[in-house]
Amino acid sequence: MNTSAILSFFVFIFMLSPVSHSQGVFGKWKTIDDRTGKPKAIIEIYEEDGMMHGKIIEIVEEGKENFICGKCEGDRKDKPVLGMTIIEDAEHHGDGVYKGDTLFDPQQAMTFRCKIWLNPENPNELKVRGYLAFIYRTQTWVRVEG
């Protein structure tokens, strides 16, 4: 192998490094209430069958650790919020943006359409926007390491 080929190889590997080490939307995220600024839960966001899903894996809000969804209807009625799937079948729409019809808020027992993306200025922040008609709210969730 000549010097030029070796140099080209290392330049190629160097160019790939930031991409392979960058963190995406999948992983564990601490939800932060946009009204109070207090953490509420840890959500695990994962991919299944090419779609994004999110499930509550820990409740960190004091006094809500054993919260039961009394206001919920259907399969969620009177079920523990811990372990509940709150994001279902969100599709990737390019540029790291996911959109879907199911972002469930157990506290309000309401389902919203959603748009989810990494903060372009901080990859350890996830923007989660819930839509009800033309009205929306956006929360910033914080990455949980480990």
Side-chain angles (χ1 to χ4, degrees):
M1 217 180 210
N2 65 29
T3 307
S4 175
I6 292 171
L7 182 59
S8 293
F9 173 76
F10 282 110
V11 168
F12 176 73
I13 294 300
F14 178 75
M15 287 173 48
L16 286 180
S17 291
V19 174
S20 64
H21 287 68
S22 66
Q23 296 183 344
V25 298
F26 300 109
K28 295 177 184 173
W29 298 92
K30 184 183 295 183
T31 65
I32 308 294
D33 188 300
D34 57 312
R35 293 183 175 132
T36 66
K38 294 182 179 180
K40 297 179 75 80
I42 307 293
I43 310 298
E44 182 175 16
I45 295 185
Y46 58 96
E47 186 174 12
E48 186 176 285
D49 298 326
M51 306 289 256
M52 173 196 279
H53 299 267
K55 166 168 92 171
I56 299 172
I57 61 169
E58 184 179 347
I59 298 174
V60 297
E61 185 177 10
E62 196 171 314
K64 301 278 185 168
E65 299 85 359
N66 298 312
F67 185 62
I68 301 295
C69 200
K71 294 181 187 177
C72 292
E73 297 177 357
D75 293 344
R76 292 184 171 126
K77 178 80 175 148
D78 297 325
K79 296 286 195 286
V81 171
L82 184 63
M84 193 174 280
T85 299
I86 62 165
I87 300 169
E88 295 179 28
D89 296 330
E91 288 185 85
H92 187 249
H93 282 256
D95 294 329
V97 174
Y98 289 79
K99 294 180 181 180
D101 291 331
T102 306
L103 172 62
F104 183 71
D105 180 347
Q107 200 142 22
Q108 297 181 60
M110 293 181 68
T111 301
F112 303 90
R113 289 181 301 114
C114 64
K115 178 180 176 183
I116 301 169
W117 70 100
L118 284 178
N119 180 347
E121 297 170 11
N122 183 349
N124 289 316
E125 291 181 350
L126 189 68
K127 298 294 185 175
V128 179
R129 179 172 291 166
Y131 294 90
L132 189 60
F134 58 89
I135 299 169
Y136 66 87
R137 281 178 48 203
T138 305
Q139 290 186 342
T140 299
W141 296 358
V142 179
R143 188 181 302 278
V144 175
E145 298 298 330

